[in-house]
Amino acid sequence: QVRLVESGGGSVQAGGSLRLSCSISGDTYGSDCMGWFRQAPGKEREGVAAIEGDGSATYADSVTGRFTISQDNAKNTMYLEMNSLKPEDTAMYYCAAHPWTTLCISVFKSRSMSYWGQGTQVTVSS
């Protein structure tokens, strides 16, 4: 079992930055494939960024060049650095984890991750 706890959300003006953190505990072998997702009111949950055990990352087109996903294995923490924030980035952000798989990106794109956090709210005002 893997427990995920997000932090770092808040309210910022457009153009600002935030760094989200996801603390990972429990069976960390269940977290070799990790990602950030977001869900705005009235919209479906969408994948924002994913990172695999080897450190390779994948981003949604809407955040490429603005967001950076990373992980610190020593601290069992995953991060999402968000720069040049836009009002359309406003959403509840969730971190998610999945046991090691060669299909990490497919699992991410299908939103089929095994473990999910409770979310942290990000609000960007214009």
Side-chain angles (χ1 to χ4, degrees):
Q1 191 74 14
V2 175
R3 182 168 181 258
L4 307 171
V5 179
E6 303 93 337
S7 60
S11 297
V12 295
Q13 289 192 326
S17 298
L18 282 173
R19 188 176 80 157
L20 305 183
S21 299
C22 175
S23 175
I24 308 157
S25 61
D27 179 7
T28 56
Y29 287 103
S31 59
D32 285 335
C33 169
M34 299 201 65
W36 287 98
F37 295 77
R38 66 186 181 186
Q39 187 168 18
K43 294 188 176 181
E44 289 190 352
R45 189 172 297 188
E46 63 173 348
V48 175
I51 188 165
E52 300 184 63
D54 63 0
S56 57
T58 298
Y59 297 93
D61 290 343
S62 59
V63 305
T64 297
R66 300 188 298 122
F67 291 11
T68 303
I69 189 171
S70 63
Q71 59 185 23
D72 185 333
N73 291 328
K75 296 182 178 180
N76 287 335
T77 303
M78 179 177 66
Y79 303 98
L80 185 68
E81 186 76 35
M82 305 186 295
N83 298 314
S84 302
L85 283 162
K86 304 175 181 180
E88 51 264 43
D89 294 318
T90 294
M92 184 71 79
Y93 282 71
Y94 301 88
C95 69
H98 195 81
W100 180 88
T101 172
T102 58
L103 302 175
C104 178
I105 300 306
S106 296
V107 170
F108 167 74
K109 290 184 176 180
S110 64
R111 294 167 287 176
S112 300
M113 310 291 274
S114 294
Y115 307 103
W116 294 83
Q118 294 300 305
T120 186
Q121 178 68 37
V122 171
T123 303
V124 184
S125 57
S126 57

